[in-house]
Amino acid sequence: MSWIAGLFFIESQGNHKEAVEKSLEGLIEKMKTEGIAEIINTSYDETLEENDNFSKTVEIEVEFENLTDFMKSVITYGPSAVEILETEKETISSEKFIESLGEILAITKNIYNKYGVFYKYVRPRGYKPKIGLTEDQIDSLLDQGALQIKIIVETKETDRRKARDNFLSAVDQDLFVNQVKTKKLSGKEGTNLLVAVEAFVYELKDLISIIIQHTPVYVEIVEPETIELTQLLVQDIGVELANLYFDLTHRLAHHKMENLPPKIN
């Protein structure tokens, strides 16, 4: 058996029954051709109709040789739901895990740049960042299994304080921030700033969310040095990526609608 075995549930919707059905069939053929995932079995639900709109779902049993192929498949084929059936428990270095995420980040950046769609955040009025942890707090976080991370994002903000606070307010719910530094990006036109953060995060899926939404230029997991990839963790990673890319798909669709040429009567 491959290292990861699971189920992808992929749905197609539209106002033409035949197009909806053929889109799923075409996706299955694409998956077979690209070979990122090994398809074990497929099961199609009945085509449903409601208010002249059609929908159909296919359940795909898939296997993957490694975590990177699994994550690529989630963001490439867009399942609405992911279920992990079995994994071979494995411990990998944190550096290798970040390398896998780096491939997902590269794909995400290409999508953002191609379509000009980005996540935007509004800093709450009167926001005051919480920066700085005591040694006891750091020890407590590590004892409870938190990850110690370093992350650097690039911002077009010209004011150092605003650049710092804008980013921290967006990740305030996920990170325990110890240190923050800002620096003008050398060798580049304009006044882009780098915001470098040393922080702690409890859930690996929260780190993935930050990476997808903020596309950092640098990420490092300082502690722990290794990550145990359990079935539950792989499930969490798959669900998080599926949700993030479902949201991104809707942003792209909305962006396209806003940029359609005006109708000619």
Side-chain angles (χ1 to χ4, degrees), residues 2 9 15 23 26-27 49 61 74 89-90 101-102 112 128 133 137-138 140 163 167 185 201 214 229 241 260:
S2 298
F9 299 87
N15 52 15
S23 69
L27 180 62
E49 180 183 2
E61 185 178 350
V74 172
K89 187 181 294 186
E90 182 180 358
L101 280 181
Y112 289 169
K128 294 182 180 180
L133 299 169
Q137 289 174 320
I138 291 174
S140 177
F167 176 64
L185 189 57
V201 60
H214 298 280
L229 296 173
L241 283 174
L260 285 175

Side-chain angles (χ1 to χ4, degrees), residues 3 67 88-101 145-149 201 203-205 207-208 220-230 233-234 237:
W3 181 70
L67 181 66
E88 293 179 14
K89 187 181 294 186
E90 182 180 358
T91 300
I92 65 172
S93 69
S94 296
E95 183 178 1
K96 185 171 181 61
F97 180 77
I98 290 297
E99 287 178 2
S100 295
L101 280 181
L147 288 77
Q148 182 179 6
I149 64 169
V201 60
E203 299 285 347
L204 202 54
K205 64 180 182 180
L207 174 60
I208 292 173
E220 178 186 355
I221 298 177
V222 180
E223 292 286 346
E225 295 182 354
T226 60
I227 294 174
E228 185 177 352
L229 296 173
T230 63
L233 179 56
V234 175
I237 291 171

Side-chain angles (χ1 to χ4, degrees), residues 84 203 205 231-241:
I84 300 301
E203 299 285 347
K205 64 180 182 180
Q231 182 172 336
L232 179 59
L233 179 56
V234 175
Q235 174 82 30
D236 284 346
I237 291 171
V239 170
E240 186 69 19
L241 283 174

Side-chain angles (χ1 to χ4, degrees), residues 203-216:
E203 299 285 347
L204 202 54
K205 64 180 182 180
D206 292 332
L207 174 60
I208 292 173
S209 178
I210 291 170
I211 289 173
I212 296 298
Q213 294 179 355
H214 298 280
T215 59

